[in-house]
């Protein structure tokens, strides 16, 4: 067969099959699935999905080891058609960094800053700050102009594979940070008369399409 561009070694799995059976189902861990999705040329169709295993993979009921295989093609591949979801996020005012954690690998170059809105609270009267701008077209590192000034919001991805990861970090400009502080957004304001008691003043709202996964689901 033709050489496969990318390869991936499974690290951990769980079983979901009877102990003795001709069919064995393996469930990959979230870490493995996200790492696999970051490889564009692997696991998307039957033409780029092959399995390699050694004789130590499994034995039959008589203790005979399986015949090793260097490239067995997949019979079928189910396409990922589920959009990514934001699972968690953090704001670090010291670093000036907004960190987004998704439930799967995303393509950081598709992130739309204008879909991210920081709010002081969840009420309709909340103070808001939008992150919007225009891509400058940098490779694996994308910059956007601030909606408040012509500063930059830098989009980075923690993943090694060309900006593909389930975590994306946005580094805000000094002006954006100072505006957040001025508008009491993400500052953890201390209430008068209540020592060490803080009010949550940092909320993130996603408006419209935010980011695509590796199969362009958004």
């Amino acid at each position: 067969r033709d050489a496969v561009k990318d390869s991936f070694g499974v690290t951990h799995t769980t079983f979901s099959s009877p102990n003795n059976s001709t069919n064995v189902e393996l469930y990959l861990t979230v870490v493995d699935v996200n790492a696999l999705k970051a490889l564009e040329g692997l696991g998307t169709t039957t033409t780029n999905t092959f399995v390699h295993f050694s004789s130590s993979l499994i034995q039959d009921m008589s203790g005979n080891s399986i015949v090793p295989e260097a490239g067995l093609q997949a019979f079928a591949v189910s396409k990922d058609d589920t959009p990514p979801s934001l699972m968690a996020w953090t704001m670090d005012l010291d670093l000036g960094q907004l960190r987004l954690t998704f439930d799967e690998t995303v393509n950081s170059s598709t992130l739309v800053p204008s879909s991210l809105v920081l709010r002081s609270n969840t009420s309709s009267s909340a103070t808001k700050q939008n992150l919007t701008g225009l891509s400058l077209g940098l490779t694996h590192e994308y910059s956007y102009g601030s909606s408040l000034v012509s500063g930059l919001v830098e989009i980075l991805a923690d993943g090694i594979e060309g900006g593909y990861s389930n975590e994306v970090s946005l580094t805000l400009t000094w002006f954006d940070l100072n505006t957040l502080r001025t508008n009491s957004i993400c500052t953890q304001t201390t209430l008068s008369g209540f020592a060490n008691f803080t009010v949550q003043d940092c909320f993130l709202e996603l408006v419209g399409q935010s980011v695509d996964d590796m199969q362009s689901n958004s």
Side-chain angles (χ1 to χ4, degrees), residues 17-94:
S17 304
N19 290 333
N20 305 323
S21 174
T22 57
N23 296 315
V24 177
E25 294 182 358
L26 304 178
Y27 287 86
L28 304 182
T29 63
V30 173
V31 173
D32 276 354
V33 170
N34 284 332
L36 179 60
K37 288 182 178 181
L39 300 173
E40 289 185 285
L42 180 63
T44 57
T45 68
T46 56
T47 58
N48 65 13
T49 306
F50 297 80
V51 65
H52 165 87
F53 52 84
S54 67
S55 60
S56 62
L57 175 67
I58 199 169
Q59 295 180 342
D60 65 15
M61 300 304 296
S62 298
N64 301 307
S65 297
I66 192 171
V67 177
E69 177 60 62
L72 182 63
Q73 188 171 11
F75 176 77
V77 174
S78 298
K79 182 181 178 181
D80 174 15
D81 57 5
T82 304
S85 296
L86 182 65
M87 301 298 292
W89 66 279
T90 58
M91 169 65 79
D92 189 323
L93 289 181
D94 290 329

Side-chain angles (χ1 to χ4, degrees), residues 151-181:
L152 298 179
V153 177
E154 185 181 11
I155 298 179
L156 307 172
D158 292 335
I160 298 175
E161 296 295 328
Y164 306 144
S165 174
N166 70 316
E167 293 188 344
V168 179
S169 297
L170 289 78
T171 303
L172 281 64
T173 62
W174 64 268
F175 187 90
D176 290 323
L177 291 173
N178 287 335
T179 303
L180 286 173
R181 296 186 181 101

Side-chain angles (χ1 to χ4, degrees), residues 3 13 22 31 63 65 88 113 119 121 123-124 129 166 168 173 188 200-201 210:
T13 60
T22 57
V31 173
S65 297
R119 304 168 56 101
N121 57 63
S123 70
S124 59
Q129 181 171 340
N166 70 316
V168 179
T173 62
Q188 290 290 315
Q200 177 64 44
D201 61 359
S210 300

Side-chain angles (χ1 to χ4, degrees), residues 99-112:
R99 189 181 189 89
L100 308 174
T101 302
F102 298 92
D103 65 341
E104 64 172 315
T105 301
V106 297
N107 184 347
S108 65
S109 68
T110 66
L111 184 66
V112 181

Side-chain angles (χ1 to χ4, degrees), residues 116-131 147-148 179-180 183-185 201 203 205 207:
L116 306 176
V117 182
L118 289 170
R119 304 168 56 101
S120 59
N121 57 63
T122 58
S123 70
S124 59
S125 60
T127 304
K128 302 179 183 180
Q129 181 171 340
N130 293 70
L131 300 178
S147 61
L148 302 174
T179 303
L180 286 173
N183 292 330
S184 297
I185 302 176
D201 61 359
F203 295 84
E205 178 183 4
V207 180

